[in-house]
Amino acid sequence: MTSLSINNGLTLIATPIGNLRDVTFRAIDALMQADQILCEDTRVSRKLLNHYNIHTKLTSYHEYNATSLRPKIVRALQQGKKIALISDAGTPNISDPGYKLVESCLANDIQVSTIPGPTAVIAALSISGLPTDNFYFGGFLPSKTTARKKTFASLRTLDTTLIFYESPARLVACLYDSLEYFAGRTAVIARELTKLHEDVRRAEISELYNFYKGITRVRGEIVFLISPPQKEALYLSHDQIKKLLKERFADETLKDAVRNLAREHDISRSLVYRLALEMKDV
Ligand code: SAM
């Protein structure tokens, strides 16, 4: 390849999310042609560069040094340097550093370009079997239960597929909290995509919770996806469902009432069943 793959200015280059071969030809060319590559952890990015025999200077750019480094990067770019930004994995600036640097470049009329490629959110969505026409990406969920629940509450009625990044250490707690807001919905746990132990599980949320709570230590990188609410569930409150159930209990068994109500109103059977059990407890 003889023509330059990298433009003037700052270029955000996507790198693999696991499998080192998931990188574009243009990304390799641009990483070779850049005057400097900004990355997060130089040890992580060095593996990619060594794999492709790239010797461009690597500089660490992360939240601890970004404020002091940014003006120097902008100056170098103004002097005509071609600088690449990559992250440890995937697309830079997607739940990774880069936003303020892009903003500073644009404010200084410096060209910002993309060399697109992998990102875990899109990789997971595309194979999830959940609606892809409309989705909400929430980045990393808050680590504390109260804040996480607040996030879930605010998204409960959103009529889109929901997507989050979650740490393996918090997965079980996160699934448990999600039951309160999304019971009955289908969810997907996409773990270790493109890696040796890639594992994608798709089931009703309570089934996923039961599965993962039985695992001593969940490992790996995770994308958590939740299906949109079923149409009727958007309009029927839990109290309204219970009221309809009560009417049916007059001449139907619990099992029949749950099945028929779920079918007639296009609501998940497990949600109706859970509400029916709550009524029995009262
Ligand atoms: N910039 C990256 C991207 O474009 O996807 C995301 C960086 S963020 C710091 C890292 C999170 O992305 C992980 O904790 C996990 O939630 C998700 N992730 C990254 N690689 C993944 C993979 N191979 N499989 C599943 N999730 C992954």
Side-chain angles (χ1 to χ4, degrees):
M1 172 125 189
T2 47
S3 64
L4 272 189
S5 279
I6 192 162
N7 292 333
N8 285 329
L10 179 73
T11 304
L12 276 67
I13 304 180
T15 60
I17 57 168
N19 189 319
L20 283 187
R21 293 188 68 75
D22 290 336
V23 64
T24 65
F25 293 127
R26 190 170 162 231
I28 299 295
D29 291 340
L31 289 169
M32 284 179 176
Q33 292 161 6
D35 294 305
Q36 184 182 2
I37 301 170
L38 304 173
C39 64
E40 291 180 87
D41 185 337
T42 51
R43 289 163 304 179
V44 173
S45 294
R46 183 91 54 205
K47 281 186 200 151
L48 177 75
L49 298 201
N50 286 346
H51 189 82
Y52 289 101
N53 211 10
I54 297 169
H55 304 287
T56 311
K57 182 182 170 205
L58 264 183
T59 305
S60 174
Y61 176 83
H62 48 66
E63 58 177 312
Y64 307 108
N65 69 356
T67 312
S68 60
L69 209 54
R70 214 174 300 122
K72 293 181 196 153
I73 299 169
V74 169
R75 230 172 294 129
L77 287 162
Q78 283 169 328
Q79 285 161 5
K81 295 272 186 253
K82 294 179 169 60
I83 298 185
L85 174 71
I86 61 176
S87 55
D88 282 353
T91 300
N93 205 358
I94 302 300
S95 296
D96 268 336
Y99 161 66
K100 287 201 172 151
L101 181 57
V102 170
E103 199 185 33
S104 298
C105 287
L106 296 177
N108 285 283
D109 289 328
I110 294 166
Q111 185 176 352
V112 178
S113 310
T114 177
I115 298 193
T119 181
V121 50
I122 299 300
L125 175 66
S126 65
I127 58 163
S128 67
L130 302 180
T132 54
D133 52 339
N134 198 348
F135 62 91
Y136 170 92
F137 174 52
F140 278 102
L141 278 163
S143 57
K144 300 265 183 327
T145 290
T146 314
R148 192 162 51 223
K149 284 188 172 185
K150 213 169 150 193
T151 301
F152 286 156
S154 70
L155 299 172
R156 200 178 67 83
T157 54
L158 205 61
D159 193 12
T160 68
T161 295
L162 305 176
I163 315 175
F164 306 100
Y165 286 162
E166 185 51 292
S167 97
R170 290 194 290 267
L171 179 65
V172 174
C174 162
L175 284 170
Y176 181 76
D177 289 345
S178 70
L179 280 173
E180 204 173 303
Y181 302 90
F182 307 111
R185 293 206 207 170
T186 300
V188 174
I189 301 295
R191 208 171 54 80
E192 295 288 85
L193 293 173
T194 76
K195 301 187 201 175
L196 187 62
H197 298 292
E198 175 172 306
D199 177 44
V200 180
R201 283 172 200 273
R202 184 177 192 277
E204 202 265 321
I205 290 196
S206 61
E207 280 175 49
L208 286 176
Y209 167 67
N210 286 328
F211 175 80
Y212 284 104
K213 98 173 168 202
I215 291 180
T216 318
R217 191 169 153 215
V218 181
R219 291 168 199 268
E221 297 194 280
I222 290 167
V223 184
F224 174 37
L225 305 96
I226 304 173
S227 65
Q230 295 192 26
K231 263 179 266 120
E232 287 295 329
L234 274 179
Y235 308 113
L236 280 183
S237 69
H238 287 189
D239 282 344
Q240 285 169 315
I241 296 173
K242 284 180 178 173
K243 199 165 161 241
L244 291 169
L245 276 171
K246 200 171 168 195
E247 287 162 16
R248 286 182 175 268
F249 287 159
D251 46 19
E252 286 179 46
T253 63
L254 181 136
K255 199 174 151 200
D256 286 345
V258 168
R259 189 190 54 226
N260 295 336
L261 187 78
R263 192 183 298 142
E264 283 168 28
H265 290 270
D266 190 23
I267 316 172
S268 123
R269 198 188 291 190
S270 56
L271 169 65
V272 182
Y273 184 64
R274 188 171 65 84
L275 295 173
L277 291 185
E278 280 177 22
M279 291 170 70
K280 278 189 75 187
D281 289 343
V282 181

